[in-house]
Amino acid sequence: MDVWLNHYQTYITWKTPFPGQHGEDKFGLDYRSTHDPLITDKHIQFYLKGESLYKGEGCDDLSPGWIDFDHTHTMSQLVVTEAAATCVAQQVAKSPLSRFHLNRKSMNEFFGSKDLRFDTSSMKRDMPILQKKLGANKPLTFILSFRDMKVGFAQGDKDVTLEMVARISIYYDHADPLAAKKNLPKHELFYDEFPVVASGKVECINDVFKSEIDQLQLNIDKKYGQRDQPKRNNMDLTTNEYKEMLGQLQFTFNFWRKYLNDVLLRDGTRFPYNMKEFDTTVKFKNHAMYFLFEVEPTAFKELPKEEWYEDLEKS
């Protein structure tokens, strides 16, 4: 049985959902039981490990303490702990799917355009420090990735909180037409790491998972602040110019927060079933996320007909 169930592991392939970014990767889930199911005359409770896997490796820490079901509801439930959600985030952070290449080509694909520019002059309004230090019309590539992801549920008035460290590298974009005959150097111009926090509200409406980001900002320590210089500085930024750049970067984060809410997150994500089967709601408490499934009276009508099972047995 253990071999037949692939040692209680299942794998899925994720494709990047972001236009302009390319690739896919494979992730696993370890669904071994942590202890025997609890069976009563009214229900059965399963406690699964819920560890995410990447390249066969799990997470270092999966010990959230005891989390129980919500006994104020009689409907079916799936409970996700902060530790399990953090494990998912950390595994995705290890994958190339969490590495974003931002340049002229990817930005045009992302916005469905053909004439957008991504250079020091086009970004002058939001990040004037780039044109000040590098000159006008210099095409750029930003490489953005993340590490040390940590997910929180029901913290204060936030449904979901995500803390992470963002890593940003800046290069000249030699594939951009503006780079022709400029003889731009190929070395890295800038690299730094910033603590970032994001949070928001989540709800399910008519079996559509909807979310809204209410915070996306640098999470710089109020007492000790940020360093005086980036980790690697080939732009000759002074201490004041570096702090100026951090402020400009925060304005850029605000733009992306609004864009994600207004465009990418506006319609939500539909569950892989319809309202004739289940009515799904979600709630957050006790540092956990609870999916609540109410089986509709018409659900039996959605089951495959007998011929479907006969064909399955023949195959």
Side-chain angles (χ1 to χ4, degrees):
M1 178 63 73
D2 183 72
V3 174
W4 185 72
L5 292 174
N6 192 34
H7 307 295
Y8 297 91
Q9 296 179 1
T10 186
Y11 286 84
I12 60 172
T13 299
W14 285 0
K15 292 185 177 181
T16 178
F18 300 103
Q21 307 300 316
H22 305 281
E24 61 183 34
D25 216 335
K26 190 175 182 180
F27 299 89
L29 176 67
D30 186 334
Y31 59 93
R32 287 176 291 175
S33 293
T34 56
H35 57 76
D36 293 338
L38 176 61
I39 304 174
T40 73
D41 59 347
K42 294 182 179 180
H43 65 266
I44 180 171
Q45 297 177 182
F46 295 96
Y47 296 87
L48 308 180
K49 188 175 185 183
E51 182 177 23
S52 298
L53 308 171
Y54 181 62
K55 295 186 176 179
E57 297 294 329
C59 296
D60 295 332
D61 184 19
L62 207 67
S63 54
W66 179 254
I67 297 293
D68 202 358
F69 292 93
D70 185 352
H71 296 288
T72 63
H73 292 271
T74 58
M75 57 189 72
S76 299
Q77 304 177 25
L78 172 65
V79 185
V80 180
T81 65
E82 290 180 338
T86 294
C87 183
V88 173
Q90 289 176 348
Q91 299 294 40
V92 173
K94 296 176 184 177
S95 165
L97 293 184
S98 72
R99 192 170 298 116
F100 301 90
H101 292 256
L102 309 179
N103 51 37
R104 182 172 187 159
K105 182 176 183 294
S106 67
M107 287 292 96
N108 276 280
E109 290 181 14
F110 184 87
F111 289 106
S113 182
K114 295 182 179 179
D115 55 2
L116 291 178
R117 292 170 50 183
F118 197 79
D119 55 72
T120 54
S121 295
S122 68
M123 288 187 279
K124 181 180 178 180
R125 187 187 68 175
D126 297 317
M127 296 192 70
I129 190 68
L130 295 175
Q131 178 167 298
K132 175 183 175 181
K133 299 301 295 185
L134 301 175
N137 300 316
K138 301 292 180 64
L140 299 175
T141 289
F142 282 51
I143 301 177
L144 175 65
S145 61
F146 303 94
R147 65 173 176 85
D148 297 346
M149 313 284 269
K150 183 179 180 181
V151 178
F153 293 139
Q155 297 186 356
D157 62 345
K158 312 295 185 184
D159 288 337
V160 180
T161 303
L162 177 61
E163 298 179 7
M164 68 202 105
V165 175
R167 299 179 289 197
I168 300 178
S169 298
I170 302 177
Y171 295 83
Y172 287 121
D173 180 14
H174 292 270
D176 189 303
L178 281 178
K181 299 180 181 180
K182 286 186 181 293
N183 195 30
L184 299 174
K186 296 184 177 181
H187 62 74
E188 178 186 73
L189 300 171
F190 174 92
Y191 173 81
D192 206 3
E193 300 181 354
F194 313 94
V196 175
V197 61
S199 62
K201 294 286 186 180
V202 175
E203 60 182 344
C204 288
I205 303 176
N206 295 332
D207 287 329
V208 176
F209 192 76
K210 306 200 75 171
S211 56
E212 181 179 359
I213 303 170
D214 59 21
Q215 178 183 216
L216 176 60
Q217 64 185 40
L218 298 176
N219 191 25
I220 296 178
D221 190 287
K222 294 181 180 180
K223 181 177 180 180
Y224 298 104
Q226 180 74 3
R227 295 178 306 277
D228 291 333
Q229 286 287 311
K231 285 184 173 292
R232 293 194 289 272
N233 178 14
N234 289 311
M235 291 171 53
D236 296 326
L237 291 168
T238 65
T239 297
N240 288 336
E241 288 171 336
Y242 175 56
K243 293 180 179 180
E244 180 184 348
M245 186 173 183
L246 291 180
Q248 295 169 10
L249 189 62
Q250 180 60 63
F251 282 111
T252 303
F253 279 12
N254 290 336
F255 164 80
W256 282 108
R257 179 183 62 81
K258 294 177 181 178
Y259 183 85
L260 290 171
N261 285 333
D262 295 342
V263 180
L264 290 187
L265 300 177
R266 182 182 59 186
D267 297 329
T269 302
R270 183 167 294 279
F271 287 106
Y273 46 80
N274 60 58
M275 293 177 60
K276 296 179 181 179
E277 301 169 55
F278 304 102
D279 181 27
T280 307
T281 55
V282 64
K283 65 184 297 186
F284 299 85
K285 70 175 189 176
N286 302 329
H287 298 288
M289 176 168 58
Y290 295 76
F291 289 97
L292 308 174
F293 305 95
E294 184 172 8
V295 180
E296 298 288 4
T298 56
F300 74 94
K301 296 180 181 179
E302 304 300 315
L303 294 174
K305 298 186 181 300
E306 185 176 348
E307 292 81 2
W308 184 88
Y309 292 101
E310 292 176 351
D311 292 339
L312 179 64
E313 291 177 356
K314 292 179 182 178
S315 63

